[in-house]
């Protein structure tokens, strides 16, 4: 989750919403169940006391559907995208996640506030000019209805899952036997030969009769089935295209900028440090206060007196004060201080704090020039949206019952465009939208030859389509595909001839002591490869894969024969093999292999751990 935030939580409001709702489901579902809460009758499941609400489940089903729809070529009407078919696997994923979190908490795992705050403060998407911006932080979360406390809780749980996975990874180990066995396989060497049987001239001797052509065509009609296709003419109206044609006054831009400036959140950003006294006896409080008053270095006092092990060695520094991340009394006291000032004793549930503001930065209102282009664009779009609605009504009126689209195009200043032929379930360009395909293949357009109703698409776009060409599903006539059939039959007969020659060679090779001479006698090329490893740049990758996948019997040659890419036929004979040893690898390679094996073991152990946790969890599905 956190890495996804770092990588993607940038740019426009739309991208922020997409990321937090579709890329970061853990923020608001699954691991966030502890803070989302549950009301009687609203639970979809309860796992070891942790509720998974029906609201969470519905939201995760929606997000899973969006992730699937984002994949290329997905049919939105497919059965597997229906909510009832997504519900079970989604709920299973949420219950497994909840079970692992519950087990981690029961085992005493937790994440300190300082660690969570550090991660949040370090996330690039919350920074402005390279520094954490509390305004940016609150703004991004507010746009999707999240509070800082909720986001902090989700981040803490994600970090806890990360700690658990890391612990499993670090606890994994690899035995010497395991290393030896895998090295024996990885560094195995094999000796083999190849014999290439050329196809040159053989095709000229192959005859394909008309009867064979007809028989193949009739037996394989499905190969020549052409799906139904349709192309349409269309008119497209969009807010973006209209926005390119409208203008806005400089005065309006300045007025909008003034509104932004007046509502700008100039809450100071504070970098703070503290001294925490869990033992807040009057004597100790007095001692610390006196040293602070005497001008002793605050960082040195924190290292000596603070009971916060997480910040003590850093001189008590906590980083930027994140709203909602600290107790209310702590935040209130800190915000009353100026830069360099130290508070008096501040009492919270964790003890008594002395707080120092290391840095106090007041965000500055962005300049007019830096905001002008964005404001101008937003005003143009707002203006275009009003025009778009009236133009869309005109589009509907002008195309209803019209014999074509040209009249509406002239009236609205639009261009009649034509799609490439597309099928019912797939298409390119505007035909990539299922709404367009459904309208195009509807009776109104396809059967009645009328203009479609206005089709509204995402992104404030509207289309009207009209049939251009239609080709029903059909079997291509034999005359059209005859050359294709002849080619297939010729190649099939050629392969049969080459396979027969390969079998003959293998039979003769089994009793021959000079395979190279045998190959030359037959007019075949021969090559021998001694002690080849899997990665040696000899022969070609496909042949090496074949060589190392063939089972061997000691003292016998293993044969394989198959068509080659150049149209010839290749016989491969593996003569012997030798297991790899650790001496075949550099120490660094052995170490890297051990690390990789350990990682694979940890993945297996992690999966086994999760399965055991889920098996022992108290899961109630409602």
């Amino acid at each position: 989750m956190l890495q996804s935030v770092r990588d993607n939580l940038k740019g426009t409001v739309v991208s922020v919403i997409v990321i937090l709702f579709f890329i970061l489901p853990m923020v608001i579902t699954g691991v966030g169940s502890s803070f989302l809460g549950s009301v009687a009758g609203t639970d979809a499941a309860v796992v070891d006391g942790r509720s998974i609400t029906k609201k969470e489940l519905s939201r995760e089903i929606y997000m899973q559907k969006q992730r699937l729809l984002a994949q290329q070529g997905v049919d939105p009407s497919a059965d597997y995208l229906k909510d009832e078919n997504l519900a079970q696997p989604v709920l299973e994923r949420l219950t497994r996640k909840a079970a692992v979190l519950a087990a981690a908490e029961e085992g005493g795992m937790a994440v300190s506030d300082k660690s969570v705050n550090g991660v949040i403060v370090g996330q690039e998407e919350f920074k402005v000019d390279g520094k954490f911006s509390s305004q940016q932080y609150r703004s991004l979360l507010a746009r999707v209805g999240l509070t800082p406390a909720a986001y902090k809780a989700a981040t803490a749980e994600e970090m806890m899952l990360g700690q658990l996975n890391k612990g499993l990874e670090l606890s994994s180990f690899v035995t010497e036997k395991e290393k030896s066995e895998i090295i024996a396989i990885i560094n195995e060497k094999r000796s083999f030969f190849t014999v290439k049987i050329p196809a040159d001239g053989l095709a000229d001797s192959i005859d394909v009769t008309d009867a064979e052509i007809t028989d193949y065509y009739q037996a394989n009609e499905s190969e020549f089935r052409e799906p139904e296709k349709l192309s349409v003419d269309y008119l497209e109206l969009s807010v973006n295209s209209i926005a390119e044609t409208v203008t806005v006054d400089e005065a309006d831009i300045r007025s909008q900028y003034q509104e932004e400036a007046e509502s700008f959140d100039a809450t100071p950003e504070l970098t703070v440090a503290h001294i925490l006294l869990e033992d807040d006896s009057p004597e100790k409080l007095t001692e610390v206060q006196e040293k602070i008053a005497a001008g002793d270095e605050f960082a040195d006092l924190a290292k000596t007196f603070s009971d916060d092990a997480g910040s003590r060695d850093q001189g008590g520094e906590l980083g930027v004060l994140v709203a909602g991340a600290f107790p209310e009394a702590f935040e209130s006291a800190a915000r009353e201080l100026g830069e360099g000032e130290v508070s008096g004793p501040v009492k919270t549930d964790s003890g008594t704090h002395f707080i120092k503001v290391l840095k106090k930065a007041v965000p500055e209102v962005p300049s007019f020039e830096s905001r002008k282009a964005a404001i101008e664009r937003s005003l143009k779009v707002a203006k275009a949206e009003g025009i778009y609605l009236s133009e869309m009504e005109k589009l509907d009126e002008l195309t209803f019952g019209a014999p074509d689209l040209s009249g509406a195009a002239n009236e609205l200043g639009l261009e009649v465009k034509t799609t490439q032929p597309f099928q019912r379930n797939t298409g390119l360009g505007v035909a990539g939208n299922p709404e367009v395909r459904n309208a195009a293949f509807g009776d109104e357009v396809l059967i009645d030859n009328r203009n479609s109703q206005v089709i509204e698409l995402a992104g404030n776009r509207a289309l009207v389509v009209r049939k251009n060409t239609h080709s029903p599903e059909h079997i291509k006539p034999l005359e059209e595909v005859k050359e294709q059939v002849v080619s297939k039959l010729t190649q099939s007969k050629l392969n049969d001839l080459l396979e027969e020659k390969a079998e003959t060679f293998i039979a003769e090779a089994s009793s021959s002591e000079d395979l190279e001479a045998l190959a030359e006698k037959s007019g075949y090329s021969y090559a021998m490869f001694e002690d080849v490893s899997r990665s040696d740049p000899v022969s070609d990758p496909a042949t090496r894969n074949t060589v190392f996948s063939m089972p061997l019997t000691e003292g016998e040659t293993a044969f394989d024969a198959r068509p080659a890419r150049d149209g010839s036929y290749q016989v491969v004979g593996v003569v012997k093999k030798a297991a790899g040893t650790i001496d075949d690898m550099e120490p660094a390679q052995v170490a890297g292999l051990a690390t990789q094996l350990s990682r694979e073991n940890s993945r297996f152990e992690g999966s086994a751990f999760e399965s055991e946790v889920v098996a022992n969890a108290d899961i109630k599905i409602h």
Side-chain angles (χ1 to χ4, degrees):
M1 178 191 73
L2 301 178
Q3 187 59 46
S4 295
V5 175
R6 296 189 189 95
D7 291 342
N8 298 299
L9 195 61
K10 300 173 183 175
T12 64
V13 174
V14 173
S15 67
V16 172
I17 291 173
V18 168
I19 289 151
L20 283 176
F21 274 96
F22 304 143
I23 305 299
L24 303 179
M26 287 187 178
V27 172
I28 49 180
T29 62
V31 301
S33 59
S34 62
F35 61 80
L36 288 173
S38 174
V39 180
T42 65
D43 288 342
V46 177
V47 182
D48 288 338
R50 297 174 64 92
S51 295
I52 299 172
T53 67
K54 292 177 181 177
K55 182 178 179 181
E56 289 177 73
L57 177 60
S58 296
R59 184 179 293 145
E60 179 62 18
I61 289 172
Y62 175 75
M63 290 189 293
Q64 176 66 8
K65 182 182 295 185
Q66 298 309 310
R67 287 191 289 269
L68 293 172
L69 287 172
Q71 299 175 8
Q72 190 172 6
V74 173
D75 179 7
S77 63
D79 284 344
Y80 72 89
L81 289 176
K82 294 180 179 178
D83 287 1
E84 58 267 28
N85 293 329
L86 289 172
Q88 182 175 347
V90 169
L91 182 57
E92 181 180 352
R93 186 168 67 248
L94 292 177
T95 55
R96 294 178 75 87
K97 188 188 303 176
V100 172
L101 279 168
E105 290 175 347
E106 185 179 350
M109 292 189 67
V111 181
S112 71
D113 280 350
K114 182 176 182 298
S115 298
V116 177
N117 294 338
V119 167
I120 293 175
V121 169
Q123 288 177 238
E124 291 299 323
E125 62 280 358
F126 298 139
K127 292 181 179 180
V128 176
D129 295 330
K131 297 180 180 179
F132 178 84
S133 167
S134 57
Q135 179 183 354
Q136 174 86 341
Y137 173 68
R138 291 193 298 271
S139 175
L140 290 180
L141 296 186
R143 288 172 183 173
V144 290
L146 286 175
T147 65
Y151 185 71
K152 181 181 177 182
T155 302
E157 290 187 331
E158 178 71 1
M159 291 174 67
M160 187 162 63
L161 287 175
Q163 286 184 353
L164 179 62
N165 291 333
K166 190 65 175 178
L168 289 170
E169 181 179 339
L170 293 175
S171 66
S172 180
F173 61 92
V174 179
T175 66
E176 290 300 319
K177 182 180 179 183
E178 287 177 309
K179 275 198 297 187
S180 296
E181 289 176 347
I182 195 68
I183 287 173
I185 295 173
I186 292 175
N187 290 336
E188 179 184 296
K189 294 182 179 181
R190 294 194 172 192
S191 296
F192 66 97
F193 63 85
T194 60
V195 173
K196 180 173 287 190
I197 303 175
D200 299 344
L202 287 179
D204 297 337
S205 64
I206 294 175
D207 183 37
V208 177
T209 66
D210 288 342
E212 290 174 323
I213 295 172
T214 302
D215 289 345
Y216 184 90
Y217 174 77
Q218 292 177 347
N220 298 276
E221 282 190 344
S222 60
E223 289 185 24
F224 313 110
R225 187 180 302 278
E226 186 72 8
E228 179 185 25
K229 290 184 179 179
L230 172 68
S231 72
V232 295
D233 297 328
Y234 68 97
L235 295 178
E236 180 176 3
L237 189 68
S238 72
V239 167
N240 284 336
S241 61
I242 295 173
E244 296 297 326
T245 67
V246 301
T247 59
V248 294
D249 295 334
E250 175 96 359
D252 292 333
I253 299 174
R254 289 190 177 276
S255 176
Q256 178 66 32
Y257 170 76
Q258 190 60 37
E259 289 182 17
E260 286 187 6
E262 291 173 358
S263 62
F264 182 78
D265 185 359
T267 303
E269 296 179 3
L270 307 178
T271 302
V272 298
H274 79 145
I275 298 171
L276 172 64
L277 302 179
E278 294 177 350
D279 173 18
D280 54 359
S281 62
E283 296 80 6
K284 194 168 185 179
L285 286 174
T286 299
E287 181 182 4
V288 174
Q289 278 185 291
E290 289 177 349
K291 290 183 178 293
I292 292 173
D296 286 13
E297 186 65 39
F298 190 88
D300 294 337
L301 294 176
K303 292 176 181 179
T304 302
F305 292 98
S306 182
D307 293 316
D308 180 5
S311 68
R312 181 173 57 215
D313 293 340
Q314 286 74 45
E317 185 169 345
L318 296 173
V320 175
L321 184 69
V322 179
F326 296 91
E328 184 177 349
F330 186 103
E331 286 191 26
S332 297
R335 296 196 183 280
E336 294 296 325
L337 300 173
E339 185 171 313
E341 293 182 350
V342 180
S343 73
V346 179
K347 186 77 172 178
T348 69
D349 291 341
S350 57
T352 299
H353 308 259
F354 290 95
I355 307 167
K356 181 176 182 179
V357 174
L358 303 176
K359 184 178 181 181
K360 188 169 188 174
V362 179
E364 295 182 0
V365 178
S367 68
F368 173 74
E369 290 303 322
S370 68
R371 290 289 302 147
K372 181 179 179 180
I375 294 174
E376 182 179 11
R377 173 63 185 171
S378 67
L379 291 176
K380 283 186 174 183
V381 168
K383 197 171 181 179
E385 285 173 347
I387 299 173
Y388 170 76
L389 293 175
S390 64
E391 294 287 275
M392 188 165 61
E393 290 181 2
K394 289 182 182 179
L395 178 65
D396 188 28
E397 293 171 0
L398 292 169
T399 55
F400 180 75
D404 54 37
L405 300 176
S406 60
N410 293 331
E411 183 75 19
L412 297 173
L414 300 175
E415 177 188 355
V416 178
K417 300 178 180 178
T418 304
T419 67
Q420 293 293 321
F422 57 90
Q423 301 175 34
R424 290 179 180 267
N425 294 326
T426 184
L428 299 175
V430 295
N433 295 279
E435 300 93 337
V436 174
R437 296 197 302 273
N438 290 339
F441 280 98
D443 290 349
E444 184 178 40
V445 175
L446 183 62
I447 306 300
D448 300 335
N449 292 310
R450 292 186 290 166
N451 299 328
S452 73
Q453 297 181 20
V454 174
I455 307 163
E456 295 188 59
L457 302 178
N460 285 330
R461 299 165 63 202
L463 277 77
V464 172
V465 305
R466 183 179 184 86
K467 182 174 72 174
N468 182 294
T469 61
H470 176 241
S471 172
E473 182 182 66
H474 63 280
I475 304 298
K476 294 178 182 179
L478 177 58
E479 293 74 17
E480 185 177 336
V481 298
K482 183 175 181 179
E483 187 175 332
Q484 179 182 346
V485 174
V486 170
S487 177
K488 283 179 174 288
L489 290 173
T490 300
Q491 187 60 50
S492 176
K493 290 187 175 185
L494 178 60
N495 284 341
D496 289 343
L497 285 175
L498 291 170
E499 184 177 1
E500 183 180 340
K501 289 176 176 292
E503 290 174 351
T504 300
F505 178 85
I506 291 172
E508 293 176 351
S510 299
S511 58
S512 174
E513 295 184 357
D514 191 343
L515 296 179
E516 184 173 5
L518 177 63
E520 291 179 357
K521 175 185 175 182
S522 303
Y524 308 152
S525 60
Y526 171 91
M528 183 70 196
F529 304 92
E530 296 281 357
D531 296 328
V532 174
S533 70
R534 297 172 188 271
S535 59
D536 282 345
V538 301
S539 186
D540 62 272
T543 298
R544 292 200 305 275
N545 288 339
T546 298
V547 166
F548 282 93
S549 64
M550 294 167 61
L552 295 182
T553 300
E554 186 69 28
E556 296 182 7
T557 300
F559 287 98
D560 179 88
R562 63 186 65 194
R565 288 184 177 180
D566 61 2
S568 63
Y569 220 81
Q570 180 172 265
V571 174
V572 176
V574 182
V575 179
K576 63 178 181 178
K577 68 176 181 178
T581 67
I582 198 169
D583 295 332
D584 297 324
M585 301 178 72
E586 297 291 335
Q589 292 177 310
V590 176
L593 176 62
T595 299
Q596 185 177 352
L597 285 173
S598 178
R599 190 177 296 117
E600 293 299 322
N601 285 346
S602 70
R603 288 198 186 101
F604 174 78
E605 291 161 2
S607 177
F609 169 79
E610 179 182 319
S611 297
E612 183 176 358
V613 165
V614 172
N616 294 326
D618 181 14
I619 301 176
K620 295 182 175 65
I621 306 296
H622 296 299

